[in-house]
Amino acid sequence: MAARVAATRQAVEHEKKHGQGNRRHKGKRQAWSIDRQRLAEVQKVIHHRHGGACDTDDGATYLRAAMPHLLRLHGGGDEAHDKILGWAAVWLPTMPQADVAAAVENAFRHDPPPLKADTLAELLNMHRDERTALSLRTIGAVDQTSRERAAERKRKSAEHQAAKRQRAGATPRSQSKVAIAKAQGISLSTLKRRLKQAAAQEAANRPDPISSAIDPKDLQPTTKPGHGTGLSVPGPAREASQRQIVGAVGPTPGARTRAVPAGHAVPLPLPENGFQENGDFFGSDDAWISLGSALDYAGGLMPPEVARAVRLAQRARSMTQDAVARHIGISRPQLANALQGRFGLSRSAAANLCAWLAAA
């Protein structure tokens, strides 16, 4: 029996060194399947624990773990029966042939399903350290649950990806803006806004490069240009004034009427007896206009002679239309519309206009 076990171990070592599972083998490799993977791992466990083939009475345990996969790989029939017996003769030489044949007949009859990873770990009494040393994938561990194994795989994958990104020169995720914002308990947009404000403050506090070379960053601020605090007048915003909307005899719609009582206009002195009309503008060389009819204007639409008298008086006094409107107590648009005949003036504004024309 000892000679048989030694010969079997030598055959296993030869197959491991020169078989198809060797990475240096240049032949066509078979497609991966869970059955080949599980059977290879069971053989790896046997070789690790026994230094080759199994030389103890644990053969029945190993055969139970490998039997469902042997059936799925070789199928049924006499040929499959012989292949399973041959596998048991190589890896379980100390197990009696009658027991192996009985286990094969029972498996053909009941067709047992493959064992789960945790169930197989309990059957083989597999621990985490041995599982890690053998790099097993389809066999679990009795001291580690499936969730713990999944979490460990996820952690190792994350570490591998982080090392890969670091070799490529990428910024570590622990130093990213998302990680910094999460550590500070703020949102990503808040962090970006604070960084932007800090950059603007740093640019504002940077000394003026008078004797040194100008930094291009000084010419391109990191923030949008805005008004400084010294450019605006402090205080509340101006409140909108109420606009007056009246008929044709009142102020112009939308204009603001100034509170000037009737008869209190303060015009500049005028020449006596009227004004001389300029022939370049009105087509007459020596035309004198009397103020008698103009002073009879009492409001409403402005007659053409009154409008002409107002224009001549404005020119004679070298006043702007806005200044004339202020003396009368109305706005400049209101006076312009009245001179064009679009709207009329109120009685108070007409009285101020007459007083302004009659002032000497």
Side-chain angles (χ1 to χ4, degrees):
M1 181 63 68
R4 182 180 177 184
V5 171
T8 303
R9 288 181 178 178
Q10 185 178 1
V12 170
E13 291 292 340
H14 183 273
E15 181 180 355
K16 183 179 179 181
K17 185 176 180 179
H18 302 283
Q20 293 184 358
N22 188 12
R23 293 183 179 181
R24 294 176 296 177
H25 182 65
K26 298 182 181 180
K28 184 177 179 181
R29 302 186 63 177
Q30 295 179 341
W32 180 90
S33 68
I34 183 62
D35 299 310
R36 293 191 180 91
Q37 180 75 15
R38 176 67 64 79
L39 187 60
E41 291 186 358
V42 171
Q43 296 174 175
K44 185 183 295 186
V45 172
I46 297 173
H47 188 276
H48 173 72
R49 290 180 176 180
H50 303 279
C54 178
D55 54 356
T56 62
D57 57 353
D58 297 328
T61 302
Y62 298 124
L63 182 61
R64 180 185 174 188
M67 182 63 71
H69 305 284
L70 291 171
L71 292 176
R72 291 160 64 106
L73 287 174
H74 302 299
D78 296 337
E79 183 178 359
H81 186 274
D82 296 338
K83 288 185 177 180
I84 295 175
L85 292 179
W87 181 89
V90 172
W91 289 99
L92 311 174
T94 58
M95 188 174 179
Q97 293 292 331
D99 296 342
V100 176
V104 172
E105 292 294 338
N106 186 34
F108 281 166
R109 191 164 49 251
H110 298 285
D111 191 14
L115 299 177
K116 298 292 184 180
D118 293 336
T119 306
L120 188 58
E122 294 179 359
L123 178 64
L124 299 177
N125 194 23
M126 180 63 61
H127 290 76
R128 176 182 178 182
D129 296 339
E130 185 179 6
R131 181 179 185 273
T132 304
L134 297 178
S135 300
L136 303 181
R137 296 293 180 267
T138 64
I139 302 176
V142 294
D143 53 352
Q144 190 179 29
T145 62
S146 58
R147 289 187 178 182
E148 293 175 350
R149 293 195 299 271
E152 185 178 3
R153 288 195 301 269
K154 186 176 181 180
R155 178 183 57 80
K156 291 182 178 180
S157 176
E159 293 176 355
H160 172 71
Q161 295 297 333
K164 185 177 179 181
R165 290 191 299 269
Q166 186 176 4
R167 289 193 299 269
T171 303
R173 290 186 177 179
S174 58
Q175 302 177 7
S176 63
K177 293 182 180 179
V178 177
I180 296 175
K182 187 175 181 180
Q184 296 181 4
I186 59 178
S187 63
L188 180 60
S189 58
T190 302
L191 177 63
K192 290 182 178 180
R193 183 172 63 253
R194 292 180 180 178
L195 293 177
K196 194 173 183 180
Q197 293 174 355
Q201 186 66 24
E202 182 181 358
N205 297 335
R206 190 177 302 161
D208 189 11
I210 298 177
S211 60
S212 59
I214 297 179
D215 191 355
K217 295 181 180 179
D218 296 331
L219 303 178
Q220 299 178 356
T222 57
T223 57
K224 296 182 180 179
H227 296 290
T229 57
L231 300 181
S232 59
V233 179
R238 185 183 63 183
E239 296 181 358
S241 59
Q242 185 178 3
R243 296 178 179 271
Q244 297 183 1
I245 302 177
V246 297
V249 297
T252 304
R256 292 176 295 175
T257 303
R258 290 174 174 83
V260 179
H264 288 75
V266 186
L268 297 176
L270 288 174
E272 298 180 356
N273 300 326
F275 312 99
Q276 184 178 8
E277 188 176 17
N278 191 343
D280 295 339
F281 291 94
F282 298 94
S284 176
D285 294 335
D286 294 324
W288 288 87
I289 297 178
S290 176
L291 295 177
S293 60
L295 296 178
D296 296 336
Y297 175 60
L301 294 177
M302 187 178 297
E305 61 272 13
V306 178
R308 181 176 298 180
V310 172
R311 292 190 180 95
L312 291 176
Q314 174 187 347
R315 187 180 301 113
R317 294 180 177 180
S318 300
M319 298 176 64
T320 63
Q321 198 174 62
D322 186 66
V324 176
R326 286 200 306 269
H327 280 77
I328 299 173
I330 58 178
S331 65
R332 189 202 61 79
Q334 185 177 359
L335 177 60
N337 289 327
L339 294 175
Q340 295 294 332
R342 299 190 185 99
F343 301 98
L345 295 180
S346 64
R347 293 181 180 181
S348 175
N352 288 341
L353 178 63
C354 294
W356 179 76
L357 288 174

